[in-house]
Amino acid sequence: MVIPAAIPENAVYELTPVDGNPSSRANLQFVLFYKTDGNKRSTASQSMRDAYYQVLSHYPILYGQLERKVDEQLGNTKVQVSVSKEMHATCMPSYTEFDVDELVSDIQEANYNWATWPQPLLSICPVRRPSTDEKLDDPLAQCVVTWHADGMGLLISVDHSIADGVGIDILLNQWAGATRAALSSDNTEPSMLELPVDYDHASLYKELCQEEPQKDWFVEYVDSVDLAQAPTEIGAIMDSDTRSPASVELALRAHVHSLRILPSALHKLYAEMHPSATTRHIPVIRLVYALMWQCFADATSLDAQPNASCFLNVIHSARKLVNRPHYIGNAVCPVYMRQTAAQLHTSTRQLAQTIGNNMHAVSGPHWLATLLMLQDSERYKKFLTVFANPRAKQLTVSNISRLRFFSVDFGWGAPVHATVYPMLIPGFATWLPLGASGGLHILWNMPDSVAERLKNDPRFTRYVEFLF
């Protein structure tokens, strides 16, 4: 294994508002399954392990300990990662392997239901808890590999304060490339790769702060909330949450439904919304946003309250705003939209155009205003009370369907499936690529009653299938 040689005796990485909300207690976890013509452990295990540490050695921040400190004046939480050579024994990124009896083909046959997974792929809890003095002792990066008779399973887990989905996608592809290079080389010790490396949180935030933050309707809406009148039931995890990690993990999955939209269904939706060659082009992904928003609003009985607001939050990477394509840290920008129930009863095509107009309006100053709002403890509490409430009429979409999961080839081809651990927030849907040929794999946290209404909505089931 490779330990970074150029770590100062006492390096401290001060995280910024860009790096996620200050109350985050989560690991971001991706799981990939591979099919092979036999168990590859004997020929590939050591090369994979060496390549894992080789790539991570370019990111010394992953070798540190995350610590949260309350700012007495501001009342919020400051987060820093301390790295020193003495910490390697406890903070070294972990890598474990297991031989398992389960077959990837059986897991595939069950539509990758968690109940069929080998236990090691479920062994790292998504929820993180501090041990003492607000320090988190678990490694910031953890990996589990399961070797099956007909393939491989892979779980990679990184603290969400350190990386977002795009960042983990970058790490996965760099790791796969290093493994392929090692397997094709005659050298027992592979040479260090030249990689595009970017984890400089401070410079990104400094660049954002060159302009004045600009509040939009979303920030003003949160600021206007009267906590005395707001709902008290909160669905997201807060610092004061006393549940055990195991209990929270069960809650994470309790209302998560697995869905898929086949490539043929996407083609059908696009064709029906573009009846002639002269019809103005609307990307199919925006049509899916619009369709799901409309159906979700009806399934939550909003049609009985024509003036009630329903929200759509599309979370996407803001790397283009700051021209940092290789940045592994948190660079997620929420784009909130609001419509009344009556407005949502427009055509799906018209709503998709409205969504597109809102997404094009996002700028660095708007993103900065949102980040600063989430950093303030009182405003963050207002945000959680309204938008992370089980009764909130909100669909949140984390669309990572364009990530390069199906290029993560360690030397035996692309994965047959890629998925994530679901989010606890009610109404939260994660969109992943269904496969190399296209389509969408969706994990959606919603009440069972809402799921049943969607299953009986012909507008929805015309394109979308429930798997479990």
Side-chain angles (χ1 to χ4, degrees), residues 154-214:
L154 185 155
L155 161 66
I156 186 165
S157 174
V158 181
D159 189 285
H160 204 349
S161 296
I162 305 301
D164 61 11
V166 177
I168 295 179
D169 176 68
I170 292 170
L171 292 173
L172 278 169
N173 278 278
Q174 290 179 346
W175 176 22
T179 303
R180 291 196 308 271
L183 290 173
S184 63
S185 172
D186 294 332
N187 298 325
T188 56
E189 293 292 335
S191 58
M192 288 295 291
L193 296 175
E194 292 291 332
L195 299 176
V197 173
D198 184 0
Y199 59 96
D200 187 351
H201 307 66
S203 67
L204 191 153
Y205 185 55
K206 182 178 179 181
E207 181 178 343
L208 269 184
C209 291
Q210 295 300 312
E211 299 184 73
E212 287 294 321
Q214 294 181 12

Side-chain angles (χ1 to χ4, degrees), residues 22-25 68 70 77 129 134 237-242:
S23 296
S24 175
R25 286 284 190 270
R68 307 176 192 275
V70 176
T77 305
R129 292 292 190 214
E134 290 294 305
I237 304 166
M238 297 186 68
D239 287 347
S240 58
D241 197 323
T242 58

Side-chain angles (χ1 to χ4, degrees), residues 243-255:
R243 291 176 293 177
S244 69
S247 298
V248 174
E249 186 169 354
L250 289 174
L252 279 166
R253 302 181 191 180
H255 300 294

